[in-house]
Amino acid sequence: MVDDKERNMKCLTFFLMLPETVKNRSKKSSKKTNPSSSSSNSSSKLPPVCYEIITLKTKKKKKMAADIFPRKKPASSSSSTVQQHHQQNLSNNNLIPAPNWQGLYPTIRERNAVMFNNDLMADVHFVVGPPGGTQRLPGHKYVLAVGSSVFHAMFYGELAEDKDEIRIPDVDPAAFLAMLKYIYCDEIDLAADTVLATLYAAKKYIVPHLARACVNFLETSLSAKNACVLLSQSCLFEEPDLTQRCWEVIDAQAELALKSEGFCDIDFQTLESILRRETLNAKEIVVFEAALNWAEVECQRQDLALSIENKRKVLGKALYLIRIPTMALDDFANGAAQSGVLTLNETNDIFLWYTAAKKPELQFVSKARKGLVPQRCHRFQSCAYRSNQWRYRGRCDSIQFAVDKRVFIAGFGLYGSSCGSAEYSAKIELKRQGVVLGQNLSKYFSDGSSSTFPVWFEYPVQIEPDTFYTASVILDGNELSYFGQEGMTEVQCGKVTVQFQCSSDSTNGTGVQGGQIPELIFYA
């Protein structure tokens, strides 16, 4: 028999589960109805009660298993155990979990993660990688189908094939593992050397959130060294946002990008698009030399002898996209004309183009590239000069700045002499957290006016948003110069917002309110 206490508890529980109106009816009926009255009388007074299962809407957050059963924090927590499983499973897929391992993990996510790269209950295996570099990886059809529509069609679609082993020769094993880790563990683990291969895998198996994470990773690590390669890949993967970011870097830091090793790894179509680029911010002799370097590597890829003829052969019509007639005459005479790539007639015609009044027709593009127009961010509202300042005795003028969008600092605008024309020697420097990103030593001539005079870095320096950088200059020249005053802490320059703050490196008096370095010159 059921214990009376237990039966009473069940009744109480059932009563508490009833809607409030039903409880009130029960209370009223118990008061009005005599204990000896028949059930027919009570039923005639009260309408029949219908019970239905309802879902109560509440603003309270639903509690998960981990909330209902809170875990203590001993040394061997389940999260650390899962991480250990992850690390082990990356290299060992034959793990056998401890008995009742399911009880170790309070959430379905953690229990699911144990199956990552684990042979336990695996109902499919993948042989991933090219011949000679394959890796056999276990999988679980249900989990994979939940994470990818391609896997769902592969295992449960109308044309599904019941195979125990599937070969995937076009995906890198490390990239496939990174994708599986995301599907099983809901974790994104990307590395610079495998992110492109992971992006390919995510695109192939339609895992959009992982693909987006790969693109974000590439955008944050984008630089002149890898911009050309990423441009080629972004076109292949049809990622227009990444393509645009690549063009921004290539345009602004064109000479660095063209001299990078990655430039030689691009395909012919990408080469043509770069050589055709109107806003390429580079000397044409640099473009010419980069094209020859690419041709040399392309000959090796095609197993051709490294000859002048073969270099011209692999370049094909792309050679005429190089704007040789726009080179400085010295660059042409000492570079392109003696390279051997041009025919004798082409060389003669280009020389005539430089010198003759009646210019010959050329197959080469003869119009100079537009390049990029630099923007200037001026941080002072006025300037002045006095008899006792601004003086230069080997001391540093410095200011810190931050931007809200990626830009490329090309140089600084500086004040000149307030006592007539004079020449200055300027050492400019750009740092981030003490690390020198760019510096240059050059001279500029000031005409005695209050205008600013540009001093350039050798190459534009890439500046990331929401981080403070330090701009510094050490001047040597006329003792007295103009200086800025009424400085602004924030300046809107086009679509870029620039913030300024004082720098501890400044030993000559420059700060936010006044001093030197009135302008930042940049590309955006």
Side-chain angles (χ1 to χ4, degrees):
M1 292 181 66
V2 180
D3 185 63
D4 289 340
K5 184 178 181 181
E6 183 180 352
R7 182 164 54 251
N8 292 337
M9 287 298 296
K10 287 184 178 181
C11 293
L12 178 61
T13 303
F14 177 74
F15 181 77
L16 291 173
M17 292 174 61
L18 294 178
E20 192 65 30
T21 54
V22 177
K23 296 180 190 178
N24 294 335
R25 290 176 187 170
S26 301
K27 291 178 181 179
K28 291 177 182 178
S29 62
S30 63
K31 291 180 180 178
K32 293 181 180 180
T33 308
N34 208 337
S36 60
S37 47
S38 63
S39 60
S40 60
N41 291 337
S42 61
S43 61
S44 63
K45 293 180 181 180
L46 288 175
V49 178
C50 297
Y51 301 101
E52 59 178 86
I53 299 174
I54 60 173
T55 303
L56 298 179
K57 294 182 179 180
T58 175
K59 294 183 179 180
K60 292 184 179 180
K61 185 179 178 182
K62 292 183 179 180
K63 291 186 177 181
M64 305 302 290
D67 301 320
I68 299 173
F69 305 104
R71 291 170 290 169
K72 297 179 181 179
K73 295 184 178 179
S76 58
S77 64
S78 62
S79 60
S80 62
T81 309
V82 171
Q83 291 177 357
Q84 291 173 6
H85 270 290
H86 292 179
Q87 295 300 322
Q88 293 172 353
N89 287 1
L90 289 174
S91 56
N92 178 13
N93 59 2
N94 294 309
L95 292 176
I96 301 176
N100 192 28
W101 59 270
Q102 294 90 340
L104 298 175
Y105 311 107
T107 67
I108 185 63
R109 176 181 175 274
E110 291 175 309
R111 293 191 291 274
N112 203 47
V114 176
M115 294 294 98
F116 165 59
N117 200 19
N118 197 326
D119 268 319
L120 181 67
M121 295 185 287
D123 51 2
V124 67
H125 284 80
F126 301 95
V127 180
V128 186
T134 60
Q135 189 171 345
R136 193 170 186 268
L137 303 173
H140 306 79
K141 292 181 179 180
Y142 167 74
V143 179
L144 295 170
V146 169
S148 162
S149 60
V150 174
F151 283 129
H152 181 273
M154 185 185 298
F155 301 135
Y156 302 106
E158 295 180 359
L159 302 178
E161 297 182 12
D162 190 15
K163 291 183 178 180
D164 293 333
E165 190 172 275
I166 299 173
R167 295 188 175 274
I168 308 176
D170 59 327
V171 177
D172 180 73
F176 196 79
L177 269 174
M179 182 180 69
L180 292 184
K181 186 173 185 179
Y182 171 74
I183 292 175
Y184 277 79
C185 311
D186 200 23
E187 293 181 13
I188 297 175
D189 188 8
L190 300 175
D193 55 344
T194 59
V195 62
L196 279 173
T198 305
L199 176 58
Y200 174 77
K203 285 282 188 176
K204 178 177 180 178
Y205 292 98
I206 312 181
V207 187
H209 297 291
L210 178 60
R212 183 68 253 171
C214 291
V215 171
N216 291 339
F217 183 94
L218 291 170
E219 287 180 356
T220 56
S221 60
L222 184 61
S223 68
K225 294 181 180 179
N226 59 19
C228 294
V229 173
L230 293 183
L231 174 67
S232 177
Q233 297 297 321
S234 66
C235 295
L236 175 65
F237 295 137
E238 298 180 347
E239 288 290 343
D241 291 341
L242 180 58
T243 300
Q244 179 60 30
R245 298 290 184 275
C246 291
W247 278 126
E248 290 173 2
V249 174
I250 293 171
D251 282 343
Q253 297 181 301
E255 294 193 1
L256 283 176
L258 294 172
K259 292 178 180 179
S260 67
E261 293 182 5
F263 178 78
C264 296
D265 296 329
I266 61 178
D267 57 275
F268 183 76
Q269 185 177 358
T270 305
L271 173 71
E272 282 188 310
S273 64
I274 293 176
L275 297 182
R276 194 179 285 112
R277 189 76 172 171
E278 188 70 30
T279 50
L280 209 60
N281 199 38
K283 294 179 181 178
E284 208 62 33
I285 185 63
V286 176
V287 179
F288 179 79
E289 291 171 350
L292 290 189
N293 291 337
W294 180 90
E296 182 175 335
V297 176
E298 183 64 18
C299 287
Q300 296 173 358
R301 282 194 287 261
Q302 297 186 22
D303 294 327
L304 299 174
L306 292 178
S307 63
I308 297 295
E309 293 76 16
N310 285 335
K311 287 183 181 180
R312 176 155 184 149
K313 177 182 177 182
V314 297
L315 281 172
K317 294 182 179 180
L319 177 65
Y320 297 110
L321 297 175
I322 305 172
R323 308 187 183 194
I324 295 177
T326 67
M327 290 182 186
L329 182 57
D330 288 346
D331 289 340
F332 173 72
N334 298 317
Q338 299 186 40
S339 65
V341 174
L342 304 178
T343 65
L344 184 59
N345 287 337
E346 289 170 342
T347 303
N348 289 337
D349 286 346
I350 294 173
F351 267 121
L352 288 174
W353 175 269
Y354 282 110
T355 56
K358 185 179 180 181
K359 301 184 184 298
E361 292 186 4
L362 301 174
Q363 287 184 280
F364 296 92
V365 179
S366 57
K367 184 180 179 182
R369 302 178 196 272
K370 293 180 180 178
L372 293 176
V373 178
Q375 300 183 45
R376 293 174 178 250
C377 175
H378 197 90
R379 66 188 189 93
F380 294 124
Q381 299 181 66
S382 64
C383 69
Y385 67 93
R386 296 171 189 162
S387 59
N388 61 343
Q389 53 182 307
W390 209 258
R391 296 178 181 273
Y392 306 102
R393 297 174 181 173
R395 290 180 297 215
C396 179
D397 288 287
S398 181
I399 191 73
Q400 288 193 334
F401 69 94
V403 294
D404 63 341
K405 292 180 177 63
R406 175 183 287 163
V407 300
F408 302 87
I409 296 293
F412 305 146
L414 303 176
Y415 287 122
S417 171
S418 59
C419 303
S421 59
E423 186 178 63
Y424 285 87
S425 174
K427 180 184 178 182
I428 59 174
E429 189 175 74
L430 196 57
K431 295 189 298 185
R432 178 183 179 181
Q433 298 177 349
V435 178
V436 177
L437 303 178
Q439 60 182 4
N440 197 21
L441 179 62
S442 61
K443 294 183 178 181
Y444 69 96
F445 181 82
S446 68
D447 57 7
S449 69
S450 60
S451 303
T452 58
F453 303 92
V455 180
W456 307 94
F457 289 104
E458 184 177 3
Y459 302 109
V461 180
Q462 182 171 314
I463 302 298
E464 297 299 330
D466 305 322
T467 301
F468 274 95
Y469 293 77
T470 303
S472 303
V473 60
I474 298 177
L475 288 170
D476 185 17
N478 195 304
E479 279 291 304
L480 298 177
S481 80
Y482 289 91
F483 62 93
Q485 57 186 10
E486 297 181 278
M488 295 174 284
T489 57
E490 185 174 298
V491 180
Q492 187 70 35
C493 189
K495 295 182 179 180
V496 180
T497 302
V498 187
Q499 291 181 322
F500 294 96
Q501 68 180 24
C502 293
S503 169
S504 59
D505 291 349
S506 188
T507 57
N508 199 41
T510 289
V512 173
Q513 296 301 319
Q516 261 286 5
I517 319 181
E519 286 182 339
L520 299 178
I521 306 173
F522 65 94
Y523 302 114

